[in-house]
Amino acid sequence: MTRLAIWSRDLMLVLVLGVTSAPGVAAAQAQGTAAQVERGKAVYKEQNCATCHAIGGVGNKRSPLDGVGTKLNEDTIRKWIVSPRDINPTVRKKGFSSLSKADLDALVAYLRTLRSPAGR
């Protein structure tokens, strides 16, 4: 294999897999994500989301969020939070458009971690 072919292959791996050679970058990104998810849990609690929703059986069991991270993509979760009537005009849920961008991003990050329904 020529040097150009090897270089091209390695470049494609970096682009496709997001591989980085900078030490500590992946760890810092993962830690930032973990902090964002923790903030999202706090936003969920601060906004009293459990009044209408349940996670792991805690909260209003009529609208469980278990598995929402598997069922919906990031954009759809965001839309359900900010403007639910744009998705379903008959829904009674109010939109939370007053959340800051940081809090909304954190809440979405947290909900994306809810990958499997409770009890499975």
Side-chain angles (χ1 to χ4, degrees):
M1 189 176 269
T2 68
R3 282 187 177 181
L4 180 59
I6 293 170
W7 182 84
S8 296
R9 181 201 65 200
D10 291 346
L11 178 61
M12 288 304 293
L13 282 173
V14 168
L15 293 174
V16 171
L17 299 176
V19 176
T20 179
S21 60
V25 170
Q29 289 171 339
Q31 195 169 26
T33 302
Q36 190 177 37
V37 168
E38 286 303 310
R39 177 63 192 141
K41 287 180 186 179
V43 171
Y44 181 88
K45 185 174 181 178
E46 291 164 7
Q47 295 299 317
N48 298 312
C49 299
T51 300
C52 299
H53 298 284
I55 296 175
V58 177
N60 189 334
K61 292 169 181 56
R62 291 187 348 162
S63 298
L65 293 174
D66 300 301
V68 72
T70 303
K71 298 172 194 168
L72 303 176
N73 66 31
E74 181 178 332
D75 291 336
T76 304
I77 292 172
R78 185 177 306 278
K79 204 175 272 189
W80 269 113
I81 295 168
V82 175
S83 55
R85 291 186 182 127
D86 288 350
I87 296 174
N88 181 350
T90 64
V91 75
R92 293 176 25 190
K93 176 182 172 31
K94 72 173 188 163
F96 287 84
S97 58
S98 63
L99 286 175
S100 71
K101 181 179 178 343
D103 281 353
L104 178 59
D105 291 345
L107 183 56
V108 170
Y110 169 54
L111 294 175
R112 293 281 295 149
T113 67
L114 304 178
R115 305 304 268 171
S116 62
R120 291 189 188 170

